[in-house]
Amino acid sequence: MAEPVYTVRYLRYGEQVEEECDSLDEALTFLAAGWDRGALSETEIVGPGGKVVLEGPELLRRMMDTLV
């Protein structure tokens, strides 16, 4: 199995939580599904090397595109 390269950061019950994903698509799908169920609030996706690749309105837009 490939090493996780994307980390999703989100809030669940007021606590920041992280989940590792193998791809940006997997990270977006994870956040979008949790957000759609009302189980989490997205904060950001961190890519390889620790750089934030999506956050704020752009992250929300990409999540919404995933749900369509």
Side-chain angles (χ1 to χ4, degrees), residues 2-3 7 11 16-17 19 23 25-26 28-29 31 33 38 43 45 47-48 50 52-54 56 61 63 68:
E3 288 292 316
T7 302
L11 297 175
Q16 182 156 329
V17 183
E19 182 78 24
S23 69
D25 286 341
E26 181 183 339
L28 284 165
T29 300
L31 284 177
T43 56
I45 297 177
V52 174
V53 294
L54 283 172
R61 185 188 69 73
M63 287 169 48
V68 177

Side-chain angles (χ1 to χ4, degrees), residues 46-62:
V46 178
K51 181 180 177 194
V52 174
V53 294
L54 283 172
E55 64 183 340
E58 181 62 16
L59 173 56
L60 187 58
R61 185 188 69 73
R62 296 279 300 272

Side-chain angles (χ1 to χ4, degrees), residues 3-43:
E3 288 292 316
V5 293
Y6 289 89
T7 302
V8 295
R9 294 183 179 151
Y10 57 96
L11 297 175
R12 176 176 262 160
Y13 306 116
E15 305 253 343
Q16 182 156 329
V17 183
E18 293 184 351
E19 182 78 24
E20 293 181 334
C21 298
D22 292 330
S23 69
L24 182 57
D25 286 341
E26 181 183 339
L28 284 165
T29 300
F30 174 86
L31 284 177
W35 181 88
D36 193 43
R37 290 189 314 271
L40 60 83
S41 179
E42 78 289 341
T43 56

